[in-house]
Amino acid sequence: MAEVVAFAVPTESDKTLLVWELSCGPTAEDLQRSLFAAFSRFGLLYSVRVFPNAAVAGPGFYAIIKFYSARDARRAQAACDRKLLFQETPVKVRLGTRHKAVQHQALALNGSRCQELANYYLGFNGWSKRIIKLQELSDLEERENEETERRLAKRSLKVFCALEVVLPSCECTSRGVGVAEEPLDTLEEEGPLLFLMKKKTAQNLAIQKALSDAFQKLSIVVLESGKIAVEYRPGEEILDTASEEELHNLIEVCGDESWSVM
């Protein structure tokens, strides 16, 4: 059965592992590194969090590990439960048991996480981004001409970005937009160097937000054969007629490549 991996923070119980009976010898940081090394062999991890046991449970630690893929989480649980792994005593590993009726609103991954997920499944050369527009939206010049407002108003630097994620082998694109804001003092207090640094920060943040927005319209589909497909869901995005017709094809096989767009 195919599995859909969304560009969203994994919250489902079948993607979450609980690991306990961890030794109290190493520090929490050391355990986190060891757990990451042991479980990342089964698939891409979203997070590894280590916590001290409650007082009634005695010394030691437990951990919560989140995968992007439920299939990877099941494989890891089956392979690691009651195994020594990196310590002298076996650990216990269980899948999350949250009630299925509990629904969580999907939270979008940030731009960096989206890139990590895309690189893992599509490869570094399997996708690219193209910036369409990167524009400053701030009204600094207008406010400089209004002395009273310049003293009292809290100003900021706003940057807008529009870009598209390109899957070249599938002739598929997904567009996204993002707006970032950086607070500013007066230009005299900021100084030209600090102003340029804040402008660069706002530009980078706007690009990351637009990248995240573009990836929200895509999902990774892991097929039974191990091949990867990409599902495109434009949602509210306004597309030209030609693009919309191309992107709504159910399955487009990308030549001899090992992944496709759905």
Side-chain angles (χ1 to χ4, degrees), residues 32-84:
Q32 185 179 38
R33 285 191 290 269
S34 297
L35 287 165
F36 184 90
F39 284 88
S40 61
R41 297 182 292 114
F42 300 96
L44 186 63
L45 302 179
Y46 172 74
S47 65
V48 177
R49 302 173 64 193
V50 178
F51 305 92
N53 288 339
V56 294
F61 296 89
Y62 70 96
I64 296 175
I65 300 174
K66 289 184 178 292
F67 283 83
Y68 288 100
S69 162
R71 186 180 299 171
D72 292 342
R74 290 194 299 271
R75 289 174 51 240
Q77 190 277 328
C80 297
D81 185 37
R82 302 185 185 277
K83 299 296 190 301
L84 298 179

Side-chain angles (χ1 to χ4, degrees), residues 63-223:
I64 296 175
I65 300 174
K66 289 184 178 292
F67 283 83
Y68 288 100
S69 162
R71 186 180 299 171
D72 292 342
R74 290 194 299 271
R75 289 174 51 240
Q77 190 277 328
C80 297
D81 185 37
R82 302 185 185 277
K83 299 296 190 301
L84 298 179
L85 297 184
F86 49 82
Q87 61 182 38
E88 296 180 355
T89 55
V91 300
K92 292 183 179 179
V93 184
R94 294 289 185 274
L95 283 167
T97 56
R98 185 180 295 142
H99 196 278
K100 291 184 179 180
V102 177
Q103 298 292 326
H104 292 269
Q105 183 178 2
L107 298 176
L109 291 176
N110 62 36
S112 297
R113 292 277 195 169
C114 288
Q115 292 181 79
E116 181 183 39
L117 189 59
N119 289 338
Y120 182 82
Y121 283 103
L122 305 179
F124 290 95
N125 297 321
W127 69 279
S128 64
K129 70 175 182 288
R130 183 178 74 88
I131 295 177
I132 300 169
K133 194 176 200 62
L134 188 61
Q135 179 178 344
E136 186 178 331
L137 300 178
S138 306
D139 52 350
L140 290 178
E141 292 182 1
E142 234 179 299
R143 296 202 175 198
E144 283 296 332
N145 296 327
E146 300 177 9
E147 187 67 24
T148 303
E149 197 170 345
R150 188 181 68 171
R151 290 199 192 99
L152 299 178
K154 188 69 174 177
R155 296 182 302 160
S156 62
L157 175 66
K158 292 181 181 178
V159 175
F160 167 82
C161 177
L163 57 72
E164 62 182 10
V165 169
V166 182
L167 307 178
S169 298
C170 297
E171 299 181 357
C172 171
T173 62
S174 177
R175 301 186 182 108
V177 296
V179 176
E181 186 172 358
E182 276 288 310
L184 291 176
D185 296 319
T186 63
L187 291 178
E188 291 82 359
E189 292 175 356
E190 289 284 345
L193 181 59
L194 185 56
F195 175 80
L196 289 175
M197 291 174 62
K198 287 194 171 185
K199 182 176 181 179
K200 186 66 174 176
T201 298
Q203 288 176 337
N204 290 336
L205 185 55
I207 291 171
Q208 290 299 310
K209 286 185 174 182
L211 189 63
S212 174
D213 184 49
F215 272 115
Q216 300 319 301
K217 304 172 181 71
L218 301 172
S219 294
I220 305 296
V221 182
V222 185
L223 305 176

